[in-house]
Amino acid sequence: QAQLVESGGGSVQAGGSLRLSCAASGRTFNAMGWFRQAPGKEREFVAVISMSESGTTWYTGSVKGRFIISRNNAKNTVYLQMNSLKPEDTAVYFCAAGSGLGIRTKESYAYWGQGTQVTVSS
């Protein structure tokens, strides 16, 4: 049974940084990444990385230049380095893993972590 375990959330002031980790067990995936969900809002795409040799990355526009997604294939783990955090980044961040099709669409991901809270205060 595949499992995704996240860590690294927390509270930070605006302009600060946090690093999220997501470790997969039980199998490998073609793509892994992050979605987030703020209170009363839909879960939205944040960033995804291909776990193949290409290592291609995708970001939503609002985090480009501030967030960096990376991977360690030997550990079957992905990371999200979040810099210059803003209050609007406050959300529960979910790790997702899937086939690599429909990269930006949450319905394309069959495996999800339990979520980790990120709170950015102004």
Side-chain angles (χ1 to χ4, degrees):
Q1 181 77 3
Q3 193 174 21
L4 304 178
V5 178
E6 302 134 337
S7 60
S11 297
V12 66
Q13 289 195 321
S17 298
L18 286 172
R19 188 192 194 211
L20 306 182
S21 299
C22 173
S25 61
R27 59 164 289 179
T28 58
F29 299 93
N30 289 335
M32 293 180 64
W34 299 90
F35 286 69
R36 65 187 180 187
Q37 188 167 16
K41 293 190 175 181
E42 292 282 324
R43 190 171 299 189
E44 65 174 3
F45 168 79
V46 176
V48 165
I49 188 167
S50 169
M51 301 301 282
S52 70
E53 191 172 338
S54 73
T56 303
T57 57
W58 295 264
Y59 295 93
T60 192
S62 63
V63 309
K64 276 184 181 177
R66 299 189 298 123
F67 291 11
I68 301 170
I69 189 168
S70 61
R71 64 184 186 175
N72 183 324
N73 285 71
K75 294 183 178 181
N76 211 14
T77 297
V78 294
Y79 307 95
L80 186 68
Q81 178 66 43
M82 304 185 293
N83 301 319
S84 301
L85 282 160
K86 303 176 181 180
E88 51 263 44
D89 295 318
T90 296
V92 178
Y93 283 68
F94 294 90
C95 180
S99 65
L101 301 176
I103 286 289
R104 298 174 186 268
T105 305
K106 61 183 183 293
E107 290 79 8
S108 299
Y109 295 85
Y111 296 90
W112 293 88
Q114 79 282 3
T116 186
Q117 178 70 46
V118 171
T119 302
V120 185
S121 58
S122 57

